[in-house]
């Protein structure tokens, strides 16, 4: 597991003033990665690291000669238009780059003059999906979400018996994963209307979001060689925000017996910034399992998991309707939750995914599943907040919502905060639902 080191010291300050302001997502203790270029330009996308309201350009840094050894090699790998090569290098390289950047960005660093002219303001940047995502697997790690949704889909049998024994997942679609700012048409597919005996082809009327974290895989494993639980985090590059948009009426008709299909694969949205596990080290918590529940099989259990397998990350969901935008109303918070409530850890997802010999590759994405907390107010999807569409939520504009309407923008934000540690933010992921395409 990741140990605390010099880079986590909460007293560290940067020569860049915006990195030191209270509430900043990207202080010198964070240093998350993205791929970016200047907005509206035809520049090549390349890797960057957030500091305050600026971006350190890894392509420029690699050329500058400022770094040496493993840190220089990591910056060189991160200079490409996707982060796969950097992800493939593994923890020692990421750590060396993090330490070198931390030193170069500190107050009174001799590197200030060389670095500051090359910074790109985040407000002047556009971002791309950080990796070529070869494969994407979505999990279902919140027992609260699984129980709430299970009650709606199967009132007599909400939580299936396998849930407490293995991290449930399905193989999703990588081609439709987009970067924050994505907008997409309301999907059309087969829906079985309530009380009907035959399905219709129609736009979804029950559009939802899913509040998730994305897990980017670093070094992969060879086909046939499982990753052991206590090695699993060596294969994780970092975490981002992830919106797994879902069409509940399409899902309800199609999902048995093989799981979600067109209800999920029309769009999913990632945040630009990927926060490394090393940056999250101060926010580790014991992973626990209620005594009355089945305890994990040995391949999903360890002392390290029990002592620090969970991560305390506060998650928030906001909505802004087209009418709210027109009226100048800001985003309205729908709920808050926390990743520490997950029933299965990041390491358990990786260990279970590979226990049969399945090979993960650098840049693969795992979704955590919707992160609902123990109370209904902490639900991470509208299907839970509106109790299956039976209870409307009221927005500041006076509009009501059970599911999403055309023009709705959904924004997730996340951050870690506790006394004695620097705030570690994730930025945001946002996306907008557009009207359905005309049916022929
Ligand atoms: Mn999902």
């Amino acid at each position: 597991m990741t140990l605390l080191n010099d880079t986590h010291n909460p007293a560290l300050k940067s020569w860049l003033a915006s990195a030191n302001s209270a509430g900043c997502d990207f202080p010198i203790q964070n240093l998350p990665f993205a791929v970016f270029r200047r907005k509206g330009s035809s520049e090549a996308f390349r890797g960057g690291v957030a500091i305050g309201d600026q971006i350190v350009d890894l392509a420029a840094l690699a050329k500058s000669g400022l770094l040496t050894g493993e840190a220089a090699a990591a910056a060189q790998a991160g200079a490409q238009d996707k982060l796969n090569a950097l992800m493939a290098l593994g923890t020692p390289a990421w750590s060396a780059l993090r330490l070198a950047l931390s030193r170069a960005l500190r107050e009174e660093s001799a590197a200030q003059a060389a670095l500051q002219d090359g910074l790109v303001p985040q407000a002047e940047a556009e971002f791309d999906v950080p990796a070529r995502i070869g494969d994407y697997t979505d999990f279902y790690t919140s027992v609260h979400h699984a129980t709430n949704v299970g009650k709606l889909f199967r009132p007599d049998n909400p939580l299936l018996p396998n849930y407490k024994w293995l991290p449930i997942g399905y193989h999703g679609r990588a081609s439709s994963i987009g970067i924050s700012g994505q907008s997409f048409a309301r999907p059309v597919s087969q829906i079985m209307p309530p009380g009907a005996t035959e399905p219709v082809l129609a736009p979804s009327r029950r559009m939802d979001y899913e509040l998730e974290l994305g897990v980017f895989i670093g070094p992969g494993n060879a086909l046939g060689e499982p990753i052991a639980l206590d090695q699993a985090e060596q294969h994780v590059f970092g975490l981002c925000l992830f919106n797994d948009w879902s069409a509940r009426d399409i899902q309800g008709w199609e999902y048995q017996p093989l799981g979600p299909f067109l209800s999920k694969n029309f769009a999913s949205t990632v945040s630009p910034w990927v926060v490394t596990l090393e940056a999250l080290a101060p926010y580790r918590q014991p992973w626990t399992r209620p005594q009355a529940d089945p305890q994990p099989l040995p391949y999903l259990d360890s002392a390290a998991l029990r002592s620090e397998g969970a991560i305390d990350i506060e998650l928030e969901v906001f909505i802004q309707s087209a009418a709210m935008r027109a009226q100048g109303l800001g985003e309205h918070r729908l709920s808050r939750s926390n990743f520490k409530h997950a029933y299965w850890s990041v390491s358990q997802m990786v260990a279970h995914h590979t226990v049969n010999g399945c090979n993960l590759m650098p840049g693969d994405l795992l979704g955590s599943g919707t992160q609902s907390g123990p109370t209904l107010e902490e639900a991470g999807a509208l299907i839970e907040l509106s109790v299956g569409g039976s209870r409307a939520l009221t927005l500041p504009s006076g509009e009501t919502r059970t599911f999403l309407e055309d023009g709705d923008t959904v924004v997730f934000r996340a951050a870690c905060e506790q006394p004695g540690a620097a705030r570690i933010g994730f930025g945001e992921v946002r996306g907008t639902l557009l009207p359905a395409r005309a049916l022929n």
Side-chain angles (χ1 to χ4, degrees):
M1 295 254 171
T2 309
L3 299 173
L4 290 178
N5 58 44
D6 190 30
T7 64
H8 299 101
N9 180 355
L12 286 182
K13 299 259 190 262
S14 173
W15 44 258
L16 183 72
S18 65
N20 306 326
S21 59
C24 174
D25 271 355
F26 307 124
I28 193 169
Q29 294 85 355
N30 191 347
L31 305 175
F33 292 88
V35 297
F36 79 101
R37 68 179 175 190
R38 277 175 212 276
K39 213 182 269 179
S41 77
S42 55
E43 294 173 358
F45 281 100
R46 65 272 192 191
V49 173
I51 179 74
D53 60 5
Q54 304 288 314
I55 304 170
V56 179
D57 180 338
L58 288 179
L61 184 66
K63 278 198 201 121
S64 71
L66 207 62
L67 306 182
T68 56
E70 208 159 18
Q76 189 65 52
Q80 300 180 27
D81 64 345
K82 294 286 182 185
L83 298 177
N84 297 64
L86 175 62
M87 291 169 166
L89 288 180
T91 307
W94 312 330
S95 226
L97 179 55
R98 173 182 166 85
L99 178 61
L101 279 169
S102 172
R103 287 180 175 154
L105 291 164
R106 282 175 206 178
E107 277 180 335
E108 291 166 24
S109 164
Q112 177 177 350
L115 269 182
Q116 63 186 5
D117 292 339
L119 295 177
V120 176
Q122 287 162 29
E124 293 172 21
E126 60 186 5
F127 299 90
D128 199 1
V129 176
R132 258 182 310 282
I133 302 170
D135 276 302
Y136 151 56
T137 303
D138 198 29
F139 283 88
Y140 200 47
T141 69
S142 164
V143 70
H144 308 296
H145 172 72
T147 305
N148 293 340
V149 172
K151 273 183 200 155
L152 295 166
F153 279 89
R154 297 176 303 274
D156 51 334
N157 195 15
L159 204 59
L160 294 172
N162 54 7
Y163 187 86
K164 293 187 171 180
W165 290 97
L166 61 88
I168 300 290
Y170 67 94
H171 286 121
R173 182 97 196 145
S175 63
S176 52
I177 296 174
I179 191 66
S180 182
Q182 185 175 25
S183 54
F184 58 91
R186 180 182 290 274
V188 167
S189 186
Q190 282 198 25
I191 293 163
M192 180 67 91
T197 54
E198 289 187 6
V200 294
L201 182 70
S204 169
R205 287 308 313 158
R206 291 162 71 91
M207 280 297 298
D208 204 350
Y209 56 81
E210 292 195 331
L211 171 62
E212 304 198 19
L213 288 171
V215 179
F216 275 105
I217 297 298
N221 57 306
L223 183 60
E225 291 179 14
I227 298 172
L229 186 74
D230 282 351
Q231 269 73 59
E233 292 193 358
Q234 305 297 314
H235 295 264
V236 172
F237 178 70
L239 307 185
C240 68
L241 287 162
F242 184 58
N243 188 341
D244 179 26
W245 304 94
S246 297
R248 300 302 180 190
D249 39 7
I250 299 174
Q251 185 179 357
W253 171 232
E254 75 178 5
Y255 88 105
Q256 293 190 29
L258 286 185
F261 184 28
L262 301 191
S263 55
K264 303 274 192 175
N265 67 7
F266 52 90
S268 317
T269 315
V270 291
S271 62
W273 296 108
V274 184
V275 176
T276 61
L277 287 187
E278 187 170 3
L280 294 168
Y283 294 94
R284 304 305 298 238
Q285 294 206 338
W287 179 93
T288 57
R289 174 59 52 90
Q291 274 306 315
D293 283 6
Q295 301 304 301
L297 294 178
Y299 80 100
L300 292 175
D301 206 349
S302 78
L305 171 82
R306 298 278 177 167
S307 71
E308 50 179 0
I311 315 175
D312 179 359
I313 305 172
E314 280 282 339
L315 310 164
E316 294 180 296
V317 180
F318 301 84
I319 190 170
Q320 189 186 45
S321 69
M324 289 168 69
R325 268 194 300 282
Q327 293 169 40
L329 293 168
E331 294 151 6
H332 171 69
R333 187 165 68 202
L334 288 173
S335 70
R336 302 175 72 158
S337 185
N338 194 303
F339 186 50
K340 70 184 177 189
H341 300 306
Y343 196 80
W344 297 102
S345 72
V346 170
S347 58
Q348 287 171 321
M349 285 189 261
V350 171
H352 182 68
H353 202 309
T354 61
V355 72
N356 67 343
C358 175
N359 50 334
L360 299 177
M361 306 286 283
D364 280 0
L365 183 71
L366 311 182
S368 66
T370 308
Q371 294 303 302
S372 298
T375 70
L376 196 55
E377 291 67 40
E378 297 165 281
L382 279 176
I383 191 171
E384 294 166 79
L385 291 174
S386 72
V387 193
S390 68
R391 208 174 69 182
L393 311 170
T394 303
L395 305 185
S397 53
E399 298 168 280
T400 60
R401 285 292 179 276
T402 48
F403 292 97
L404 296 173
E405 296 296 338
D406 294 348
D408 284 355
T409 295
V410 176
V411 183
F412 301 162
R413 297 199 177 87
C416 308
E417 273 184 301
Q418 73 187 22
R423 175 187 158 91
I424 301 295
F426 283 71
E428 64 174 37
V429 63
R430 69 172 55 224
T432 300
L433 177 63
L434 301 177
R437 290 184 188 90
L439 278 174
N440 291 319

